Each structure stands twice: as structure tokens, then as C-alpha cells.
Amino acid sequence: MRKIRFNFNLLLPALLAALLFIPFLINSLTHYFYGEKQFPPIVMMKLPVESTAISLPTEVVQFTPFDVTLQLDTEALASRLNDIIARSPHGVAMQGISGKVHASMQAEIVGNGFHIDNPGPQVQLFSGQSGTLWSWTVTPTAPNRHQLAIRLHLITLDNGQENQKVVDIAEIQTYAQKNPGEWIKRYGIWFIIAGIVAFVLWRRIRRPSIE
């Protein structure tokens, strides 16, 4: 019977290549044939404001920046909140808001799994007949489901004392699609380096036995 000989000098590099690239290949084929469960961003308002006040794309992709804008008539919102506070029973408050709300507000957007340009509360940079406009550039750093929150920093006057109150105006549920091409550009080099280091170490281990 003919014996089959294995070339161990080629076997280990082949195994290393398989360990590095086969999982990625299987993952790509799985998504190609079965697809991913995707849905457009869902906006849930937490204050008496129409959801149309927030603009964002219908599709979100990992590593691809997109803009989120908030267009808000702060004077109308302050008046609406003050009316709700005046009509609410004692001890019942919307997100703990009490006193008289001032029309001067700041806004910020927060969320895990995102890189956000200009983080933290932003002042009212633009005001016009259609209200105040805030805008952020957001980049998903991880795929799958994530949540963004838009918050308002309010100034209230309660019993002659000025206070600051942070409240959520909206919660955004998103699904970031995977971006294999960009992922390879960013992290593929580390797989190559790991393969080279493993191969060099293996050569050094094998050298004494060959000599």
C-alpha cells in the first residue's frame, strides 16, 4: 500500500491560514445566503414633541458616519411643558421637571457603540422661524442593535431658584449593518501580522531539530 507523506513545513502555515480566514469566510457566506434581520431606526419621543423633529437616515452601516438633526421650537416646548406642570397634581412630574421651564436649552446625543462628533451638551447655534437646529455626526463602531438618546439640558425656575435638569427628549433604536470591507481595511492587518509572527516562531522552534 502506498504511504501518504505529509510535508509538515507546509501543513502548519496552511492550518494557520485556515484558523485566521475560515471563520470570516463562513460568517460572510452565512450572511450572504441567509441575510440579516434589519429594520430602519425607530424613534420614540419622551416629551410632547412630534417625531418629525428628528431627522436621520433609514439605513445605518457600521463605520459609516451619518447625521442626526433635531429641529425644535424651544419656546413652544417650554410653553407646553409649563402648561403640563401647571395642570399636573402635586408630586407628579414629567421626568422630574418642576418649576417654570425656560426656552433657553442645550441638547446632546449619547449612545454606546457609536463615535459622536461634538459630544456633550451643545448650545442653540441656530434659531429661526422653524425653531432651533442641532446637528451631530454619528459613526457606528459596532454592528447589530444599538440605542441612541437625545437629551435636553433645561433651565427651570422653582421658588425663585434657578436649576438645571437633564431629560430625554427621544430614544432611537437602530440596527447597524456589518461592513466587512471596512472591517478588513481596519483590522485585517492584525491577522496578517499574527500569521507572520506565528510562522516565524514556528520556524525558530523547528530549526534546532532540522540541524
Side-chain angles (χ1 to χ4, degrees), residues 74-75 78 101-107 123-124 132 134 152-156:
T74 58
E75 291 186 0
V101 179
H102 196 274
S104 178
M105 305 175 184
Q106 295 184 2
V123 297
Q124 300 172 214
T132 301
W134 288 273
L152 290 179
H153 293 248
L154 305 178
I155 298 175
T156 63

Side-chain angles (χ1 to χ4, degrees), residues 10-25 191 195 198:
L10 298 177
L11 181 60
L12 185 57
L15 290 175
L16 289 173
L19 290 174
L20 290 173
F21 295 106
I22 285 180
F24 177 78
L25 179 61
F191 284 91

Side-chain angles (χ1 to χ4, degrees), residues 77-87 97 99-102:
L77 176 59
S79 177
R80 199 173 297 123
L81 290 175
N82 289 329
D83 184 60
I84 293 174
I85 293 170
R87 294 172 180 271
I97 304 173
K100 184 177 181 181
V101 179
H102 196 274

Side-chain angles (χ1 to χ4, degrees), residues 45-194:
M45 305 307 295
K46 299 298 185 71
L47 291 178
V49 178
E50 295 291 336
S51 61
T52 53
I54 297 173
S55 299
L56 66 164
T58 57
E59 186 178 87
V60 175
V61 181
Q62 182 187 15
F63 303 129
T64 302
F66 63 93
D67 292 330
V68 179
T69 61
L70 171 64
Q71 190 165 355
L72 189 63
D73 188 337
T74 58
E75 291 186 0
L77 176 59
S79 177
R80 199 173 297 123
L81 290 175
N82 289 329
D83 184 60
I84 293 174
I85 293 170
R87 294 172 180 271
S88 299
H90 181 71
V92 178
M94 178 184 297
Q95 297 192 48
I97 304 173
S98 62
K100 184 177 181 181
V101 179
H102 196 274
S104 178
M105 305 175 184
Q106 295 184 2
E108 70 171 325
I109 188 169
V110 296
N112 295 325
F114 295 92
H115 171 76
I116 300 172
D117 289 352
N118 300 322
Q122 305 297 315
V123 297
Q124 300 172 214
L125 296 178
F126 173 81
S127 295
Q129 293 182 349
S130 56
T132 301
L133 181 68
W134 288 273
S135 181
W136 302 271
T137 300
V138 180
T139 304
T141 57
N144 300 324
R145 297 173 182 262
H146 297 287
Q147 178 178 305
L148 287 165
I150 299 180
R151 295 173 178 169
L152 290 179
H153 293 248
L154 305 178
I155 298 175
T156 63
L157 188 64
D158 194 2
N159 294 325
Q161 185 176 2
E162 188 176 280
N163 302 302
Q164 292 186 351
K165 181 68 176 177
V166 181
V167 298
D168 289 340
I169 184 174
E171 179 183 297
I172 303 171
Q173 299 286 345
T174 66
Y175 185 96
Q177 301 179 35
K178 292 183 179 179
N179 192 342
E182 186 64 26
W183 189 90
I184 291 175
K185 290 180 183 178
R186 294 181 180 222
Y187 305 112
I189 184 63
W190 298 109
F191 284 91
I192 296 174
I193 292 174

